[in-house]
Amino acid sequence: MAAILRFRKLCFIEPTLKNTGSSETPKDEKQEESRTITKHECDKTKKNKKMQRWKCIDSCCWFIGCMCTTWWLLLFLYHCLPAHLSGFKSPESPGVRLKNEGLTPLHPVVLVPGIVTGGLELWEGRPCSHGLFRKRLWGGSFAQILQRPLCWLEHLSLDNETGLDPPGIRVRPVPGLVAADYFAPGYFVWAVLIENLAKIGYEGKNMYMAAYDWRLSFQNTEVRDQALSRLKINIELMYVTNGNKKVVVVPHSMGVIYFLHFLKWVEAPPPMGGGGGSGWCDKHIKAIMNIGPAFLGVPKAVSGMLSAEGKDVAFFRAMAPGVLDSEILGLQTLEHMMRVGRTWDSVISLLPKGGDTIWGDLDSSPEDIQTVSSYQRQNNTKHQIEIKQETKYGRIISFGKTASEQHSSNLTTHDLVKDKLLDSGGKCGEVWTEYGKISRENIMKLADNKAYTAGTLIDLLRFVAPKTMKRAEAHFSHGIASDLDDPKYSHYKYWSNPLETKLPHAPDMEIYCLYGVGLPTERSYVYKVSQSDKCNTIPFQIDSSAEGKWLRGGVYFVDGDESVPVLSAGFMCAKGWRGKTRFNPSGSRTHIREYRHKAPGSLLEGRGLESGAHVDIMGNVALIEDVLRVAAGASGEEIGGDRIYSDILKMAERVNIKL
C-alpha cells in the first residue's frame, strides 16, 4: 500500500507542484502584480498538467500490457515447442501415463458444471442485441461488455418477479462438452479433465456435459428447459449403451448441490419429481466425485448479496478509490452488478446452510484458532495450559472491527422481524438495488455496533433484499431438519440442502469430497457504512482499512480453496454422511480427498499442475488421476481412501448436530 501511495504522489502530486510552483522570486513586487496570464497560456498550462497525468496512466497500462503479452507468449511457446527439445519437455499427462498402465474406459462419465462457468447464448433479444443470435453472451470473449454494456446486462438479467425469462428475451445454456470446457479463450475449466479422459478412450458416447442455465433456481431449470429430465434420460441412455455400467458423476462447485437436488428429484413422483422410483440411483450411479463442493454454502455469497463485493473488489477499491464509486464518471458498476445478480436465484442456494450450529455463534465457531500449548511455572513446577485464540468467525458480518472482536454482551441486539426497521416507504422510483426504500436512519440502525451470524444474516438479507429473498426462498432453504420424515421435506425447496434431505437408498454408491486446501479463503467480513446517501446506491461496503492478525483488508480468512472453506467442502463427508446417519440412511461410503495447494514453479506451468484453487484444481494432476481411476472401475479404498491435510475432522467434532 505504501508503494501505491508513493506512486500516486509521483504521478499526480509532484507534477502539479512542479507546474504551479516557481523557482525564482520576483525582484519587483509591482512588476509581479502587473503580470497577467493570457487565456492561451492558462489553457496550455492545464493541458500540460492533464498530459502529464495521462502519460503516467499510459505508462502503467503499457507496463501491464507488456507483462500480459509476455506471459501469453511464453505460454504459446511452451505448447508449440517440440516435446523432444531438451529442457522444454512437458510433463507426461495423467491420461497418457494411465493409458500406458492399461487403464481403459469402464463407467460412463457425467460432468456437471457449477455457477458462472457454463456458457450462455442468445436465442431471442431486444433490438439492441441485433447480430447476436446464438452468439455467446457469457463464457466467451466477453466483447459485448465493451461494445454494448447496458444491453448485455439487460439480456443476462432474469425477471425480478418470476425468476424466469423477461418478456422478449431468451438466453439458453450452450449444449455439449463445449458448454464449460473453457470459460474464456485460454482459460480452461473442464478442458484438461476432458482431454485426459479422452486419452484413455472416452468420447461422446460415454461422456456427457450436463449443461444448464446456472442463473435459474434448480427446479426452474426443469420448469423452463427440462434440464433435469434431459440429465435423467442421458444417464439412462449411457447406462444401457455401455453394457449396463453405472455412471460416475463429476459435479463442480454449485453443480454439487444442483446434482444433490437431482438425486431427490429423479426418485420423487411426478409432477414435482422425475418418477424414477426409490431404486433409480442405486441402479444407475456408481460414484459421485464432488469437486470443490459448496455443500453448506459459502460466506462470499453473503458479501455478494449485501454489497456486490468480495476481497478482490474491496482490494480494487482500496487501490483506486473513487473509480467504482465515482459520481463524476457515473459508472455505477457495483449497482449494475447487484441489480443483475439479484435476479439470479441460484445465488441464494450458496448462502451458508445450517445456521449457528454449523457456522458458529457470536462467540465461538468450529474454526476458532487453537494455539500450541504454553507453559506456566507455579511453585517451581511447570504446568501445561491450553491457550485458545478466539477469532469469532461466527460473526460473518460485523459493522466495524470492534464489533468483530468484542464480547457478545457488548453488542447491540434487536429483533429485525419485530422492529420492522426498513419499512420506510422509499421515494426512489425504480429500485435498482432494493436499497432505494431504506432510509439513512434505518441504515445506521442496522450497522450500529452489530454483528450477524449465519442464523441472523438471513433476516438481514430479507430486509435489504426483500424481493429477491421472497422469490428465491420459495426454492431454497438453509436450516437443519429436526425430523427428516416430516412430509414437508418432500418439497423441492429442501432438496439441495444436505442438512434437510436424505441421500437415496444406494448402499453401493460412493460419495467423494475432492477439494483444495492451503489457500486463504473468505470466511467473515468487517463492514462500514458508505458515504453516499443517494437513492439506489449501495450503503454498505467492506472496510478495507480493517487489519489484524487474522484480518486482512476487512476480510477474515480460513483454510480452503479461495472460494469454499474447508468446513463447507468437507463436513458432510467427514461427519454428516459418514457411516449410517439420518442424512445417509443406507450408509453410502464417503471419502475425503484433499489436495494441498502448490503454486506453479514458473510461468510455463500456467495455472499450476498441483493447484488447489477452486477452478484451477480442475487441472490438478492428482485429482485428474483419481477421477480417471474411479471411472475405470477403482473404488475409494483402491485409490487410497481418505487423504486429509486440514483440520476438517477436528472441526466436524466441534459441530454439535444430531446424526
Side-chain angles (χ1 to χ4, degrees):
M1 184 58 67
I4 294 170
L5 293 175
R6 288 196 297 272
F7 178 77
R8 185 179 179 187
K9 178 181 178 183
L10 178 65
C11 295
F12 293 97
I13 299 177
E14 291 186 0
T16 304
L17 293 174
K18 289 179 182 178
N19 282 279
T20 56
S22 178
S23 58
E24 297 182 2
T25 304
K27 295 180 180 180
D28 192 343
E29 292 183 1
K30 293 182 179 179
Q31 185 179 359
E32 177 64 25
E33 290 175 1
S34 63
R35 175 183 293 177
T36 60
I37 301 176
T38 65
K39 184 177 184 296
H40 175 73
E41 291 173 336
C42 184
D43 291 342
K44 187 175 180 181
T45 302
K46 291 180 180 179
K47 185 176 181 181
N48 288 337
K49 291 179 183 178
K50 183 181 290 187
M51 288 179 64
Q52 286 178 344
R53 291 192 184 102
W54 280 110
K55 185 177 180 181
C56 185
I57 295 173
D58 288 342
S59 298
C60 292
C61 294
W62 180 86
F63 177 75
I64 294 171
C66 287
M67 290 292 293
C68 293
T69 303
T70 303
W71 188 88
W72 282 110
L73 180 61
L74 290 172
L75 193 62
F76 174 78
L77 291 174
Y78 174 71
H79 287 290
C80 291
L81 285 171
H84 63 271
L85 207 63
S86 176
F88 290 96
K89 187 175 181 179
S90 59
E92 190 175 50
S93 68
V96 172
R97 178 166 49 80
L98 294 178
K99 181 182 179 180
N100 293 335
E101 292 180 12
L103 229 65
T104 57
L106 182 62
H107 297 278
V109 173
V110 172
L111 311 175
V112 186
I115 193 170
V116 170
T117 54
L120 300 173
E121 60 186 17
L122 183 69
W123 280 82
E124 181 185 3
R126 305 280 167 78
C128 67
S129 66
H130 178 71
L132 296 180
F133 175 67
R134 293 199 63 201
K135 299 288 181 64
R136 287 200 181 198
L137 294 185
W138 187 269
S141 66
F142 294 96
Q144 301 305 320
I145 299 178
L146 299 176
Q147 295 177 9
R148 30 191 159 184
L150 293 180
C151 181
W152 180 77
L153 289 172
E154 180 183 10
H155 285 77
L156 280 180
S157 301
L158 295 171
D159 187 272
N160 210 18
E161 299 292 337
T162 65
L164 296 169
D165 293 323
I169 293 177
R170 281 187 294 149
V171 174
R172 296 292 181 264
V174 175
L177 293 174
V178 296
D181 54 353
Y182 288 92
F183 176 64
Y187 191 90
F188 72 84
V189 183
W190 291 91
V192 178
L193 180 57
I194 291 172
E195 182 181 358
N196 279 275
L197 284 165
K199 289 183 186 301
I200 67 169
Y202 279 90
E203 52 185 291
K205 67 181 181 182
N206 53 7
M207 181 166 49
Y208 171 69
M209 178 75 75
Y212 62 98
D213 191 336
W214 45 263
R215 302 172 301 161
L216 300 173
S217 71
F218 301 159
Q219 192 69 10
N220 274 345
T221 65
E222 173 65 15
V223 171
R224 196 193 73 179
D225 301 334
Q226 295 75 54
L228 299 174
S229 293
R230 295 173 191 275
L231 177 53
K232 175 178 180 282
I233 291 170
N234 276 280
I235 290 177
E236 292 172 341
L237 177 64
M238 288 195 296
Y239 172 80
V240 171
T241 57
N242 287 276
N244 292 341
K245 298 297 182 185
K246 295 183 180 182
V247 171
V248 171
V249 184
V250 188
H252 174 242
S253 189
M254 189 188 77
V256 167
I257 53 177
Y258 179 75
F259 192 75
L260 186 64
H261 179 98
F262 171 82
L263 291 178
K264 293 296 290 184
W265 174 88
V266 73
E267 294 191 342
M272 191 180 295
S278 60
W280 192 94
C281 294
D282 191 40
K283 177 182 178 181
H284 292 93
I285 300 176
K286 174 195 186 293
I288 308 173
M289 306 194 73
N290 303 290
I291 301 176
F295 280 124
L296 302 179
V298 289
K300 67 190 304 181
V302 180
S303 64
M305 281 287 295
L306 195 63
S307 61
E309 309 178 90
K311 65 179 178 66
D312 298 325
V313 174
F315 177 72
F316 181 76
R317 264 181 160 172
M319 286 187 63
V323 174
L324 292 177
D325 312 308
S326 173
E327 295 181 3
I328 298 175
L329 296 176
L331 296 178
Q332 295 181 299
T333 306
L334 295 181
E335 284 79 7
H336 281 297
M337 289 170 58
M338 178 171 286
R339 175 173 62 89
V340 175
R342 285 192 176 182
T343 68
W344 299 345
D345 289 344
S346 60
V347 173
I348 307 302
S349 74
L350 294 172
L351 293 178
K353 302 178 179 71
D356 295 359
T357 301
I358 297 294
W359 296 93
D361 55 24
L362 289 172
D363 290 316
S364 65
S365 76
E367 295 152 307
D368 283 347
I369 301 301
Q370 301 282 344
T371 65
V372 180
S373 300
S374 179
Y375 289 92
Q376 186 177 24
R377 185 180 295 275
Q378 292 180 353
N379 299 327
N380 297 322
T381 305
K382 283 186 177 181
H383 295 277
Q384 189 175 11
I385 60 173
E386 292 286 337
I387 299 177
K388 186 177 181 182
Q389 174 77 35
E390 291 189 355
T391 313
K392 297 180 174 60
Y393 287 119
R395 305 178 187 190
I396 295 180
I397 298 294
S398 302
F399 285 97
K401 183 182 177 184
T402 302
S404 73
E405 296 175 336
Q406 63 185 349
H407 193 270
S408 59
S409 61
N410 297 322
L411 294 172
T412 305
T413 60
H414 60 258
D415 187 339
L416 285 173
V417 177
K418 181 179 178 181
D419 289 351
K420 300 287 184 184
L421 288 179
L422 307 183
D423 187 16
S424 61
K427 302 176 181 178
C428 285
E430 181 188 358
V431 180
W432 278 26
T433 64
E434 293 196 81
Y435 280 116
K437 292 184 178 180
I438 308 175
S439 69
R440 191 70 177 179
E441 178 185 358
N442 288 333
I443 288 294
M444 298 307 296
K445 286 182 180 179
L446 283 176
D448 186 20
N449 191 36
K450 294 181 179 68
Y452 297 87
T453 64
T456 57
L457 66 83
I458 296 294
D459 288 333
L460 173 65
L461 293 177
R462 284 173 183 149
F463 279 105
V464 300
K467 184 178 291 187
T468 300
M469 293 298 288
K470 181 180 179 180
R471 185 187 67 246
E473 283 191 295
H475 293 267
F476 299 107
S477 179
H478 302 86
I480 301 177
S482 56
D483 180 11
L484 286 168
D485 294 322
D486 190 322
K488 78 174 186 178
Y489 292 110
S490 61
H491 191 273
Y492 59 77
K493 69 179 288 185
Y494 302 102
W495 292 350
S496 62
N497 183 354
L499 301 174
E500 293 183 304
T501 190
K502 297 179 184 178
L503 289 177
H505 181 78
D508 295 329
M509 183 177 72
E510 293 185 311
I511 300 175
Y512 295 79
C513 291
L514 316 172
Y515 54 90
V517 296
L519 286 165
T521 304
E522 297 170 56
R523 177 59 167 83
S524 53
Y525 304 86
V526 174
Y527 267 81
K528 65 180 180 180
V529 178
S530 59
Q531 297 300 315
S532 177
D533 58 355
K534 290 188 175 182
C535 283
N536 291 326
T537 57
I538 301 172
F540 306 122
Q541 68 181 78
I542 295 174
D543 186 0
S544 56
S545 66
E547 297 286 342
K549 185 176 181 181
W550 309 105
L551 175 67
R552 297 199 302 275
V555 182
Y556 285 99
F557 293 91
V558 292
D559 191 10
D561 67 0
E562 283 188 322
S563 292
V564 184
V566 165
L567 181 64
S568 178
F571 175 80
M572 294 309 297
C573 283
K575 185 172 183 177
W577 290 331
R578 183 61 59 106
K580 285 191 176 183
T581 70
R582 66 192 185 104
F583 305 111
N584 181 16
S586 67
S588 298
R589 287 166 295 173
T590 62
H591 307 281
I592 298 174
R593 302 283 290 176
E594 295 184 343
Y595 305 89
R596 184 181 288 160
H597 175 74
K598 182 179 178 182
S602 68
L603 289 174
L604 294 178
E605 278 191 40
R607 287 150 58 193
L609 302 176
E610 299 178 64
S611 176
H614 188 63
V615 177
D616 296 353
I617 197 174
M618 304 291 279
N620 185 299
V621 293
L623 179 141
I624 292 171
E625 180 174 340
D626 285 347
V627 173
L628 266 58
R629 288 191 181 279
V630 172
S635 66
E637 289 77 12
E638 289 171 339
I639 67 170
D642 289 343
R643 182 179 59 208
I644 299 174
Y645 301 113
S646 71
D647 288 331
I648 183 57
L649 297 180
K650 292 181 180 178
M651 295 178 197
E653 288 176 3
R654 296 174 192 152
V655 176
N656 184 19
I657 187 173
K658 175 186 173 184
L659 296 177

